[in-house]
Amino acid sequence: MAVLSVYLSPFAPDYSGVSTVMFDLNTVTAMHDASGCTGNYTGYDEPRWYGSKSPIFCSGLREIDAILGDDEKLIRKMLQAAEDLKPDLMSLVGSPVPMVIGSDMQGIAEELQARSGIPSLGFDTTGTAYYDKGVAMATIALLKKFTKKQEMISGTVNILGANPLDFGKGKNLEVLRNKIKEAGYGITACLSMGYNMDALQKASSAQVNLAVSRAGYLIAEYMYKTYGIPYLCGIPVGEKAGAGYFELLEEVIRTGENRIQRSTAEEKGEGEVLIIGEQVQSNALREALVTDFGETKVTVACIFGKEAALSSEGDLSLESEREITNEINSGKYRMIIADPFMEQLMEEGNKSVFLKNALYAVSSKVCGDETPDMIGADFNTWYKAK
Amino acid sequence: MACSFHDTLHYSSPANGGRGIVRTGMLVPESVELFVCPFACGRHGAISAVKQNLKQRLSYLYVNQADIVNGYDDLIIPAVGELLETLQKKPKVVLIFVSCLDDLIGTDHEALQEKLEETYPGIAFRSCHMNPISKGSKTPPGISIQNNTFSLLNKREDRDENINSLGNLIPVDEASELYPFLETLGCANLRHITHYETFEGYQDMAKSRANLVITPVARQAAEQMKKKHGMSYCFVPVSYRIEQIEQDYEHMYEELRKPGTNPGKMDFTIYKEDALKKIEEAKSVIKDMPIIVDASATKCPFGLARALVEYGFHVVRVQAPEVIGIDKGNFEWLCENHPEIEVVESLHHKSVLRENQIPDSIAIGVDGAYLAGSKYVMDLFDDEGMFGYHGVSCIMEKLAHAMDAEVELEKMIHEYGLVV
């Protein structure tokens, strides 16, 4: 069903999610498009692009190639680039045109691998799904290709679902890594931001997976089923809530059972606080508001899709600008935490306090400075200041 | 000098891109744009529009896979109605943009436009294409948006002596000798689309007797206006070579004077002498400093490099994604006469490595500066504001000051708000 969006900019798509996962690896990755899709990623979805030498390219798809289904041209360009750049891996990333003409990106990747001897992956991304699907799709494909089951090493964890569209350049992620280390855990791999092939291959030896985004949750589910690694899904936001997170981690280690960080608020349903954003981060913000600041009515509204397993009663999935606008102006909320771009949706007379939490997948580099420091007590400092 | 370009995977540097068709379309006064595409296709245009404070005129109808399979023509008409209800001020023009995939599904845009104009009287509609997949064809997006923009001018009988300037997003600098030159031909007003705040006022451009096209993207539009309005045109791409500029003014004199008239020729001496003086001044300041010329700065980077070499500057590199037709002669001249000058293919996959950096250099253009790691940048983008002898004087002044301070390149690129 077509959806009108008058004020908000489009959110980050699946092909950008895949590309962010490939960014750190020694690949030759090509987005199969004319130029604009690659421009989305390099210009607005990859905060690390400036100054990097990450070999992520555009295939330079042209009308005649699409009409003739000329995959050979793409393969030739990939092989030529591989000869010059000597990658460990090649990957092909789909976009709307390959979707329309039915290009088999995985099939082309198999052909590439057969001809070059270089492991290759193909992703049937379409530009009609959000980035988190791409992050999960690419990371799981990499795990399938490169990570064999191996012996568990006690006291080690992986971070799953780390990506720049949820964590920008990674300031909060860095703090999180330090907190994990301070708590006495070793980090085997941080998938899929700030890692390398070696870490990827060792990822199945971790004792616990820490899923820090919806994409992370999807990856953690895969790793639980494939390697038997239990997971904790959440982020240690807030002083007390953050301490609770590490207690939950201990519990996962002790029991081997998965845990999902959830609000302990008694009252559900209509809330006085509305958090709009990515589900796992929004859940963690709610946990902090409830545990550290005594809020009792906090509603999470997911804008990139809602996982039932991560939801509390009354949580929402807002799938269009109209739905977001209606919720923001419903009169139910004393406070709204959302990306700065959404402030313009507040209608005249709406007295809700609007707290800005910039999401790179929404406002890209335009609002980069408006992401709060949120790990542990940093959140308390930010929230009190607001 | 490597005298060939290769068809490789494309590298997209952070400095790659242009002003974009969103911004070009926004030049139409009292217009709004509705993009009909998968949401992904609109992201870069939208974020860039936010940065340029244009987003309030840009909306989206996101289509999903089922809409694409079924065809989305019928969805557009009610979506336009919903959009018009939302907007506080009713637009005079709605530009409906579709993306690359539309080229492959056969939307009937003529029928759609008719239906829209019938449903929403008093508003002009145009089907526009944001389809870089058509690059290399006769009508890539940069050209088709110009065609659409100027097709909105209605034919009229009351013509005057003035001339339009087509294709350049920004008018030629008002200090240019172009204006007194045109006055000698009876043209007191070189009309440019940015001069008009209303759609009604914009229609004045249909009164002009001729078009001056200084960038190749508007040649087709000028051809179409010739057919529709009987308006002749003169194509004179921006050049920085004194010899070429002299010929250009001769050509313009012949093409733009009123038929049957023989006005006195303008004396360009003071303008030419000023340009020559500024060339010498720039040379005395930057001396032998290596110069990189890049296609983000000018449509004809090989032409600019040739001019600089002829003036005695030390050009070491020209960077471009391709050689465009009007620059081919300059490219060949450089290949033959200055094989020592390096050609960097900005889109080549090896450009990602940013090898052979030249930090102690002045880059004319941000993309060239990025790949070379230049400390100094001469701020010029797409020849904006440049023309004739005054254009030469301007770039020489810029060149003379290029080494005043090291560039904050990332900030400069960010401020440009480029779109691929």
Side-chain angles (χ1 to χ4, degrees), chain B residues 90-259:
Chain B
K90 191 176 162 190
K92 295 282 171 57
V93 179
V94 178
L95 303 176
I96 308 283
F97 280 85
V98 290
S99 62
C100 291
L101 68 86
D102 190 83
D103 290 16
L104 304 163
I105 63 171
T107 305
D108 185 346
H109 288 284
E110 266 181 44
L112 175 65
Q113 190 173 314
E114 266 177 40
K115 192 81 195 273
L116 283 164
E117 291 186 339
E118 189 185 302
T119 313
Y120 305 105
I123 298 175
F125 290 88
R126 288 292 179 275
S127 284
C128 304
H129 295 262
M130 183 188 68
N131 56 345
I133 197 170
S134 69
K135 279 183 187 168
S137 75
K138 283 183 181 165
T139 322
I143 289 176
S144 69
I145 187 63
Q146 296 286 340
N147 296 349
N148 273 307
T149 297
F150 293 106
S151 76
L152 286 158
L153 294 172
N154 299 317
K155 201 171 171 182
R156 58 197 295 172
E157 297 305 318
D158 55 331
R159 307 292 279 270
D160 62 24
E161 297 303 304
N162 293 317
I163 291 171
N164 298 323
S165 164
L166 303 190
N168 44 319
L169 283 186
I170 289 174
V172 171
D173 192 299
E174 56 187 23
S176 171
E177 75 284 351
L178 175 65
Y179 296 98
F181 165 74
L182 292 174
E183 274 182 40
T184 65
L185 304 183
C187 165
N189 182 8
L190 180 63
R191 293 190 169 111
H192 188 266
I193 190 167
T194 56
H195 296 161
Y196 304 98
E197 287 182 8
T198 65
F199 187 61
E200 197 186 341
Y202 170 55
Q203 294 300 323
D204 276 0
M205 287 187 81
K207 283 200 225 170
S208 300
R209 68 177 164 87
N211 286 316
L212 174 61
V213 182
I214 65 168
T215 166
V217 292
R219 274 176 100 172
Q220 262 183 38
E223 274 292 340
Q224 288 171 5
M225 288 174 78
K226 190 175 171 185
K227 282 185 192 141
K228 179 175 171 183
H229 302 271
M231 212 178 268
S232 64
Y233 76 91
C234 181
F235 176 54
V236 186
V238 175
S239 174
Y240 300 98
R241 296 182 58 232
I242 297 283
E243 191 185 317
Q244 183 64 49
I245 293 166
E246 279 169 353
Q247 289 172 21
D248 289 343
Y249 276 113
E250 281 297 326
H251 177 56
M252 281 191 280
Y253 178 83
E254 295 302 328
E255 296 291 322
L256 293 175
R257 65 181 159 152
K258 273 181 74 181

Side-chain angles (χ1 to χ4, degrees), chain A residues 6-20:
Chain A
V6 177
Y7 301 103
L8 291 178
S9 299
F11 303 154
D14 52 1
Y15 54 68
S16 287
V18 169
S19 302
T20 64

Side-chain angles (χ1 to χ4, degrees), chain A residues 238-289:
Chain A
E239 195 170 0
K240 288 184 205 158
Y245 173 92
F246 283 100
E247 285 165 20
L248 272 181
L249 174 54
E250 282 298 312
E251 205 178 305
V252 175
I253 290 172
R254 202 172 54 249
T255 63
E257 288 175 9
N258 301 328
R259 288 283 182 272
I260 292 167
Q261 188 184 33
R262 285 178 191 279
S263 165
T264 51
E266 294 295 321
E267 299 179 55
K268 299 292 180 190
E270 284 192 6
E272 288 184 358
V273 178
L274 174 66
I275 303 171
I276 302 175
E278 190 278 328
Q279 193 170 16
V280 172
Q281 189 199 87
S282 300
N283 279 350
L285 290 170
R286 168 164 58 193
E287 186 70 22
L289 290 176

Side-chain angles (χ1 to χ4, degrees), chain A residues 79-107:
Chain A
L79 293 174
Q80 204 182 346
E83 204 174 306
D84 288 333
L85 302 172
K86 313 285 182 225
D88 300 328
L89 162 73
M90 289 197 273
S91 62
L92 293 168
V93 187
S95 72
V97 166
M99 169 188 75
V100 168
I101 62 174
S103 296
D104 176 6
M105 305 309 288
Q106 292 182 41

Side-chain angles (χ1 to χ4, degrees), chain A residues 1-36:
Chain A
M1 173 70 188
V3 175
L4 189 69
S5 185
V6 177
Y7 301 103
L8 291 178
S9 299
F11 303 154
D14 52 1
Y15 54 68
S16 287
V18 169
S19 302
T20 64
V21 171
M22 296 300 154
F23 180 90
D24 282 323
L25 301 177
N26 178 30
T27 72
V28 164
T29 293
M31 211 173 282
H32 197 25
D33 83 307
S35 67

